[in-house]
Each structure stands twice: as C-alpha cells, then as structure tokens.
Amino acid sequence: MADADMKAAAEADLVYKLEDKPPFANALLSAVTHLLAIFVPMVTPALIVGGALKLPAETTAYLVSMAMVASGIGTFLQVSRFGPVGSGLLSIQSVNFSFVGVMISLGLGMREGGLSESAMLSTLLGVSFAGAFLICASAWALPYLKRVITPTVSGVVVLLIGLSLIDIGITDFGGGFGAKGTDAFGSVQNIGLAGFVLVIVLLFNCMRNPFLRMSGIAVGLVAGYIAALAMGMVDFSPLQNTPLFTLPVPFKYGFAFDWSAFLVAGTVYLLSVSGQPYEGDEFQKRLRGGVFADGLVSVIATALGSLPLTTFAQNNGVIQMTGVASRHVGRYIAVILVLAGLFPVVGRVFTTIPSPVLGGAMVLMFGLIAIAGVRIIMTHGINRREAVIAATSVGIGLGVAFEPEVFKALPEVFRNAIAAGGIMAVALNLILPRDEKDQVVRLEE
C-alpha cells in the first residue's frame, strides 16, 4: 500500500507522463535540459581515450561525432520500443565510462606490441563490437545473472571503474598524457587552470537549484575554456580544413579481432549488467528490452567508430526536476544528437579543450563514480561476508592497477583492474558460505 501511495505521489508531480505528447516548445526545452545533463559525459570518454592513446585530432573528433550519432540512434530505439528492443521509457543512451580505462590499457599494450594506429583502433572496436552481442544475449538471462552479479559485485565494479579513472583524470589535471616527461607536466599554469575549473564545478554543486547543480560540470568546462583562451593555451589547428558534413562509415578503421582483448572487453560488458530488482511482468519486459537495446546499440556504436553505450542515470534527476517523463521527448533528443554528430566541426571543437580543463572537471566526476559504487554496496546492505568480498576484490583490482606485471603469467583479463576485481568478486560470491545470522548494515536513503 505504501509503495502504491509513493508511486501515485510521484506521478502527481509529473507535468507530462510517459505517453503524453508535450507541445513542440515544451518538448524542445525539456530535450535541451536533458542534453545538458549528459552532453559532457557523452563526449568526454572519446576525448580521454584519444588523448591517452595520442590519436590525431581528426580521429578523436570522429570518435566524438560517432558517439553523438550512436547515442541519438540508441535513444530513439530505447524510447520507441520496437518489439523486444527498448525499454519504452525516457531512457537516454550515452558512452559507457566502464570502457575508458579498458580501451586505454589495451590500446597502449597494442602500441607497445608494434601495432599501427589503424590496426589498434580496428582491434579495439572489433572486440567491442563482438562483445556487445554478450549484452544482447544477457537480456534473456537477467534472472540468472542476478544470482551471480549481486549488488556487492556491481558496487565493486563501479567502485573500481571510478578509482581506475582517477589516475587518468589527475594526469589530465597536470597537463595530459602528451605533456608527461616534459617540464609542462604539473606546471603551475596547468594545475592553476585545472584547479580553477574544479572550484567552479564545486561551487555549482553547492547550489540548491537542481538545474544549476547538474550544469556545474558544463559551466566549469566553459569557464575553464575561456580562461585557457585568455592564457593562450587553446590550439585551433584541429579546426583547419574541417569538412562541412560527415557521414558515418561502418568499420572505418577496418575490423580485427584479438581473443585476449575480447576476454577483457567481454568480462567488463557482462559485469556492467546491473543487479537491480526484477519484479512484475511489465517491469521484466521493459528491463529486458532496455538491456537488449543497450547491447544492440553498442553493436551499432562500435561498428560506426564509437565506444560502447549504456543508459545514463543522470536523466532521472532531470525528470524529477522538470516533471517531464514523456518518452516522446526522447525523440527530440535523438534528432538533436544525430544532427550534431553529422557536423564534424562539433566534434573538432571539443578536441581543442586543453587537458587541464578536462582534468579539473573529471577528477570530481570520476571520484563521484567511485562513491556511487560504495553507495550501491551499502544501500543494499553489507555484512561480514559482503565486506570480505568487497575488500578482497577492491584490493586485487587496485593491486593490478598499481602493478599489472604481478599477473603477467596469467591471461590478459587478469591484468585489467576492473576485470580482475570483478572476477574476484563473482568468484568469492559463489564460493564463500553465507551466514544468515550476520548483522546487515544498510545505508538509509
């Protein structure tokens, strides 16, 4: 009864419900509001991967453009719900941060192994393309995966994702991967600029207005970019000779496959499947459709040249703030994203953002991802057994991040922090005995 009352109260706060069709102006305004919540996180992974792997500006810009195009296609599929594909909810697709560290570590290893840039990209995107089919298949195995990928396992994986990304964020904070080994890395100029961005983001996160809080990272990046312009730190050369229009090219960099890399990517794909509740026939259909669409969209995204995608939770806050839950708004979002991705100048503008500007915002964002992992573990309750699982798995994951050569005799999947920690969490969850008398500690909402 209480759940029904809460649901009724939530629906009463909505201006436009799921199937309502808002007028054009209202729908467009709501679509722009949603985009503000995801636009920066959507393009940042491609920028980080491009910077870490030292890809040419035009290649990074193409990855950014395809991220927008694929996110638009994915959002359209999710909100429209074609048969078993899509949740039929206002679910916005964006690039999956889980793969940032994976792509960088695998890419750097391939570079050290002598692969060319084109061969490296074709392999990274090829194994991601193949791995995305695992998510499609997992949509029908969710009740069974729940027993393996528990909230503790999910929380450990999210925590390790955040912690592993902080190293990348703090590198950008000091000037970026390109500045490493030079006097510019960690210079007062770079740290001062990154610190300025961080202060702006923190100030906006302290504001009471939800819209201002969600806009904090975007405002921080804009303020940092303006400051970088004044300091002469912005390089506009990537904007030269930019074509007016670009068409997505499937497998632009070719298609290659590597079993070792596939094991790493496939493991991260499966570990990213959420261990959320699975109740009610309609909810089962929507959840299955949403997960299947996540996999299908990642197939499309990686074929076009984007990192894998996932459904973003940030938009739940936008729904609460605006009172607009209409899935039809998602179609406006989809169109805007695809159009933005088809004009390469949009992607190239993002490649001109100096690394310290990105680092100032990303350190906080990646730290929040880590905290989200802790909340997942605590919200669902933690006892002695779960604490042992989490502590051991995080210890192994961070150990691999610090000293990957420790497991050099094992397959490559055990030399990735997220995969190693996640596998350890799954194994311990299956092996360690349960004690129903253990006292459970929960994080109260």
Side-chain angles (χ1 to χ4, degrees):
M1 184 68 180
D3 290 341
D5 290 342
M6 289 175 65
K7 183 177 180 181
E11 290 186 351
D13 290 335
L14 294 178
V15 180
Y16 295 107
K17 298 180 182 179
L18 182 64
E19 298 296 342
D20 292 342
K21 294 184 178 180
F24 175 78
N26 291 2
L28 186 61
L29 178 61
S30 182
V32 171
T33 306
H34 276 279
L35 284 171
L36 284 174
I38 66 161
F39 205 77
V40 171
M42 179 190 304
V43 301
T44 300
L47 297 176
I48 294 173
V49 171
L53 298 182
K54 299 180 181 178
L55 300 178
E58 62 180 26
T59 302
T60 302
Y62 183 79
L63 295 179
V64 171
S65 294
M66 291 308 102
M68 290 186 280
V69 171
S71 295
I73 295 172
T75 298
F76 186 81
L77 289 176
Q78 284 283 19
V79 301
S80 298
R81 196 180 185 184
F82 297 101
V85 181
S87 65
L89 302 172
L90 184 51
S91 304
I92 314 301
Q93 298 289 119
S94 190
V95 177
N96 192 339
F97 266 103
S98 304
F99 285 86
V100 172
V102 173
M103 289 290 193
I104 292 173
S105 62
L106 290 176
L108 290 176
M110 292 174 189
R111 271 265 170 93
E112 292 174 2
L115 285 185
S116 65
E117 175 194 307
S118 180
M120 175 188 66
L121 284 172
S122 66
T123 304
L124 289 175
L125 294 173
V127 297
S128 298
F129 174 83
F133 286 98
L134 294 176
I135 294 295
C136 295
S138 72
W140 275 265
L142 286 173
Y144 308 101
L145 285 175
K146 269 186 61 183
R147 302 170 189 174
V148 178
I149 305 177
T150 63
T152 299
V153 174
S154 297
V156 164
V157 172
V158 174
L159 175 58
L160 285 172
I161 290 170
L163 293 176
S164 63
L165 289 174
I166 287 174
D167 177 52
I168 299 169
I170 205 66
T171 299
D172 277 342
F173 201 95
F177 290 87
K180 268 194 165 183
T182 70
D183 292 337
F185 190 71
S187 66
V188 174
Q189 184 184 49
N190 285 333
I191 293 179
L193 179 58
F196 170 71
V197 174
L198 179 59
V199 168
I200 295 294
V201 176
L202 288 173
L203 286 174
F204 272 78
N205 271 272
C206 292
M207 295 185 178
R208 294 184 178 181
N209 187 299
F211 180 77
L212 292 177
R213 284 203 304 270
M214 285 187 295
S215 303
I217 291 178
V219 173
L221 288 178
V222 171
Y225 193 81
I226 293 172
L229 277 172
M231 297 164 69
M233 295 176 63
V234 179
D235 178 14
F236 289 108
S237 61
L239 299 179
Q240 295 175 2
N241 303 317
T242 303
L244 178 64
F245 190 77
T246 187
L247 285 175
V249 179
F251 303 110
K252 179 182 176 72
Y253 304 102
F255 182 89
F257 188 81
D258 179 89
W259 275 107
S260 297
F262 174 73
L263 286 175
V264 178
T267 300
V268 174
Y269 264 122
L270 289 177
L271 290 173
S272 66
V273 177
S274 174
Q276 56 188 298
Y278 195 78
E279 300 171 353
D281 291 340
E282 182 60 23
F283 183 81
Q284 290 181 27
K285 291 178 182 177
R286 290 192 184 279
L287 181 59
R288 186 185 302 123
V291 173
F292 183 72
D294 271 0
L296 181 60
V297 171
S298 288
V299 170
I300 297 171
T302 50
L304 295 180
S306 166
L307 273 65
L309 304 186
T310 190
T311 301
F312 255 37
Q314 284 94 322
N315 297 90
N316 293 330
V318 180
I319 291 173
Q320 294 174 9
M321 181 186 72
T322 62
V324 178
S326 169
R327 65 192 181 99
H328 299 286
V329 170
R331 291 171 180 159
Y332 287 80
I333 297 171
V335 171
I336 294 172
L337 287 173
V338 171
L339 288 176
L342 293 179
F343 291 94
V345 67
V346 178
R348 293 210 182 190
V349 165
F350 281 103
T351 66
T352 66
I353 300 176
S355 293
V357 175
L358 283 175
M362 294 307 105
V363 165
L364 173 61
M365 180 183 289
F366 297 154
L368 288 174
I369 292 175
I371 296 301
V374 175
R375 289 183 63 87
I376 291 172
I377 297 170
M378 293 300 298
T379 301
H380 291 82
I382 185 168
N383 54 21
R384 182 181 56 82
R385 177 182 181 274
E386 305 301 316
V388 168
I389 292 174
T392 306
S393 304
V394 171
I396 291 293
L398 287 182
V400 170
F402 296 145
E403 293 292 343
E405 290 300 306
V406 169
F407 295 117
K408 62 183 178 182
L410 298 180
E412 189 168 354
V413 68
F414 294 101
R415 281 173 272 162
N416 177 270
I418 301 168
I423 291 172
M424 177 60 70
V426 169
L428 291 178
N429 181 57
L430 294 174
I431 295 171
L432 293 184
R434 298 177 184 274
D435 185 353
E436 301 299 331
K437 295 181 180 179
D438 268 354
Q439 184 177 358
V440 177
V441 178
R442 284 187 171 83
L443 178 65
E444 299 296 334
E445 292 290 345

